[in-house]
Amino acid sequence: MKKKMLLLNTTVLLGLGGVLSTPTYASTIQDMESQKSQIQNQRQDVQSNIKAASDELTRLQAEQDQMKAQLERLTIAEEENNKKAQKTEADIKETSKQVEQLEKEIKLLQEKLEKRNDILKDRARSLQESGGNVEYLQVLLGSSSFGDFVDRALAVSTIVDADRGILKETKNMQDELKIKQADVKSKLASLEDMKAELDEMTVQLAVQKKQKDALAKELKDKEAKNEELKASLQAKDSSLANEQSTLEQNIKDQKAAEEAARKAAEQAAKEAAKKAAEQAQKAAAAPAEKADSSSAKAEAPKASSNDVAPTSAPAPKASNVVTVGNRWIGNSAYVFGGGRSQSDISHGLFDCSSFVHWAYSQVGVNLGPLGSVSTETLKHAGTQVSSSQMQPGDLVFFDTYKKDGHVGIYVGGGKFIGAQSSTGVAIANMSSGYWKQKFNGRVVRI
């Protein structure tokens, strides 16, 4: 008994290589078993590619997690630096107001002193005209300036009480004027530093924002590609599984049909033998004829067994200070005034001086109170040595927005590690380019 041929179209996309199997026509179980074996082999290849892709997805996921953490750090850094910039702007405005007020007060004092000067001159002339004390007149004639005159006049014991009172008030006004002028000078210097720092922050905020936006876009693109790759691989495996399932069902149907045909043939043979026996009894004269009761038995080939199961710290040393900060490379962000709390340190948020303080603390060296550490305190923390004698672990200083505005740890080979405003903790080259220009020769050995 012949069975209608079954058409099997098994187009299989294999993994990343796109292996393609051509449609075939199976007429026997043996053909279908062979085709099933081919599909199983193809599926094994796809599953191998799926595993490789899964491993890649796992690696990409770890990379994405790291990128997300860095994105969070950059977001925090941007927020903190914006706050710092806003506070600095407010401080600049407030200091400018104080300077303006001091300048007004200085102007008033100067006007009062000019009036006092006129009064004292008039009194001196009056005394001279009335034949006054010679010693007093000598004070006037020998003084090189009005301030010198006041100092000399206060030293003369023969001046009348009224004159002495005026002179003392004038002296106090002069002293107050000097204090206010010094205060203005100090505040103006502070104002210049704040403005320079604000300019630096403005530049770095733009750099950090650009870096954050680029990182966010890269993260989004990778997530989309990961999803696309995952969906593609799952579709390929599902397609192969369907092909295999269809083929197995066809084999089952074919075996059932051949079994039914075999049983029908056996039944027909039995009936033919029975009929022949009856005819033999009727024909007594005829010799008995033996009925051929043999029946063709179709033995189905055994199924192929090609299925393959899917493959399834030591104590710190001071010398380590040059490498202890490597853990933050690519996992940190620069924050002006950052790194002075445990929360900042846990999130890798440092500025240059707080990073140096942290690095030395990791090897058991205390560089003073964390809350007040700065480039100014660090340059006095050890012994200054010549830059020609520089060795790993020394602190190196750079003139950025101000003198000694940046500090890092020399690691050797013309390089240093530090919290850089554009990258966070990183190793930079100080033997060429930007940092060579900014290096001021100050080297401090802790």
Side-chain angles (χ1 to χ4, degrees):
M1 177 177 176
K2 292 185 179 180
K3 186 173 178 66
K4 186 177 180 181
M5 296 178 65
L6 299 175
L7 175 62
L8 297 175
N9 183 356
T10 55
T11 303
V12 182
L13 289 173
L14 281 185
L16 304 176
V19 180
L20 205 63
S21 66
T22 58
T24 60
Y25 296 90
S27 59
T28 67
I29 290 178
Q30 186 176 5
D31 291 339
M32 286 189 288
E33 288 287 3
S34 175
Q35 196 172 32
K36 175 185 173 182
S37 178
Q38 291 176 6
I39 289 178
Q40 286 175 333
N41 290 336
Q42 290 175 339
R43 193 176 181 195
Q44 286 174 27
D45 290 340
V46 170
Q47 288 176 340
S48 176
N49 285 332
I50 287 176
K51 184 179 185 305
S54 296
D55 292 341
E56 176 66 7
L57 286 172
T58 300
R59 188 193 68 77
L60 287 175
Q61 186 60 53
E63 184 180 337
Q64 283 179 289
D65 292 341
Q66 186 176 2
M67 289 173 66
K68 286 178 180 177
Q70 181 66 0
L71 189 57
E72 290 176 2
R73 277 189 288 270
L74 288 174
T75 300
I76 293 173
E78 185 179 30
E79 292 173 354
E80 292 301 319
N81 288 334
N82 273 320
K83 290 178 184 177
K84 177 68 174 177
Q86 291 169 3
K87 183 179 183 303
T88 302
E89 286 181 345
D91 290 345
I92 288 173
K93 290 180 181 179
E94 179 60 29
T95 304
S96 297
K97 289 180 180 178
Q98 293 175 6
V99 169
E100 185 178 349
Q101 180 61 32
L102 282 171
E103 288 175 341
K104 288 180 180 178
E105 292 174 4
I106 288 172
K107 185 177 180 181
L108 288 174
L109 278 173
Q110 289 173 333
E111 290 175 355
K112 287 181 180 179
L113 282 171
E114 287 176 1
K115 289 180 181 179
R116 286 299 177 94
N117 188 16
D118 292 340
I119 291 173
L120 288 171
K121 284 181 179 178
D122 289 342
R123 291 181 66 81
R125 290 192 194 97
S126 176
L127 183 62
Q128 185 179 17
E129 291 172 357
S130 61
N133 189 286
V134 175
E135 186 177 6
Y136 189 88
L137 294 175
Q138 288 177 340
V139 168
L140 277 176
L141 296 174
S143 60
S144 60
S145 65
F146 179 65
D148 185 33
F149 164 75
V150 173
D151 291 336
R152 286 169 175 260
L154 284 173
V156 178
S157 60
T158 58
I159 299 176
V160 294
D161 291 341
D163 287 346
R164 183 176 293 277
I166 292 174
L167 288 169
K168 283 185 176 181
E169 289 178 3
T170 303
K171 175 64 175 175
N172 290 338
M173 290 171 66
Q174 284 182 324
D175 291 342
E176 183 181 359
L177 177 61
K178 288 179 181 178
I179 291 172
K180 289 184 181 295
Q181 286 174 331
D183 195 14
V184 166
K185 184 177 180 181
S186 173
K187 288 186 181 299
L188 284 173
S190 173
L191 194 60
E192 289 177 359
D193 284 347
M194 284 191 288
K195 286 180 177 178
E197 186 177 13
L198 181 60
D199 291 342
E200 177 77 5
M201 279 190 281
T202 301
V203 172
Q204 296 309 326
L205 278 171
V207 172
Q208 284 185 334
K209 185 177 186 308
K210 184 177 180 180
Q211 184 183 10
K212 190 186 82 168
D213 292 345
L215 192 59
K217 183 179 183 304
E218 184 180 356
L219 180 60
K220 185 176 180 180
D221 291 344
K222 284 195 174 185
E223 286 176 341
K225 288 180 180 178
N226 286 355
E227 290 300 323
E228 182 180 353
L229 177 60
K230 183 179 178 181
S232 174
L233 288 170
Q234 288 175 339
K236 291 171 186 177
D237 189 50
S238 177
S239 175
L240 284 172
N242 289 336
E243 292 287 350
Q244 184 175 334
S245 176
T246 299
L247 190 55
E248 288 172 350
Q249 183 62 44
N250 288 340
I251 291 173
K252 183 178 178 182
D253 292 344
Q254 181 75 343
K255 285 182 176 180
E258 291 191 4
E259 179 64 16
R262 185 186 65 79
K263 289 181 178 180
E266 287 181 352
Q267 184 63 30
K270 288 179 181 179
E271 290 178 356
K274 182 180 179 182
K275 186 176 181 181
E278 290 175 351
Q279 290 176 353
Q281 290 177 359
K282 291 179 180 179
E289 295 179 358
K290 294 182 179 180
D292 185 6
S293 59
S294 61
S295 60
K297 297 182 180 180
E299 182 178 352
K302 293 183 179 180
S304 171
S305 57
N306 291 331
D307 290 342
V308 179
T311 306
S312 50
K317 296 180 181 178
S319 59
N320 292 342
V321 73
V322 299
T323 57
V324 72
N326 289 353
R327 58 172 288 196
W328 295 116
I329 295 176
N331 298 305
S332 59
Y334 187 93
V335 172
F336 290 92
R340 288 164 178 78
S341 68
Q342 189 54 51
S343 176
D344 278 1
I345 293 173
S346 298
H347 288 88
L349 305 177
F350 297 97
D351 65 10
C352 62
S353 53
S354 67
F355 170 74
V356 168
H357 188 285
W358 173 85
Y360 268 93
S361 72
Q362 299 306 294
V363 296
V365 179
N366 185 357
L367 295 182
L370 176 60
S372 58
V373 66
S374 66
T375 54
E376 190 67 23
T377 64
L378 290 176
K379 75 181 185 182
H380 300 296
T383 303
Q384 292 198 31
V385 298
S386 169
S387 60
S388 62
Q389 298 176 332
M390 189 163 49
Q391 62 187 31
D394 290 344
L395 303 188
V396 287
F397 291 79
F398 305 84
D399 293 343
T400 50
Y401 69 95
K402 67 175 183 178
K403 185 169 181 59
D404 299 317
H406 189 70
V407 63
I409 302 171
Y410 186 64
V411 300
K415 296 180 180 180
F416 75 101
I417 186 171
Q420 324 298 8
S421 55
S422 59
T423 59
V425 176
I427 294 175
N429 190 347
M430 58 183 289
S431 60
S432 64
Y434 176 82
W435 291 113
K436 181 180 180 180
Q437 296 173 3
K438 296 297 182 181
F439 178 52
N440 61 20
R442 187 188 298 279
V443 179
V444 173
R445 185 161 297 160
I446 302 301

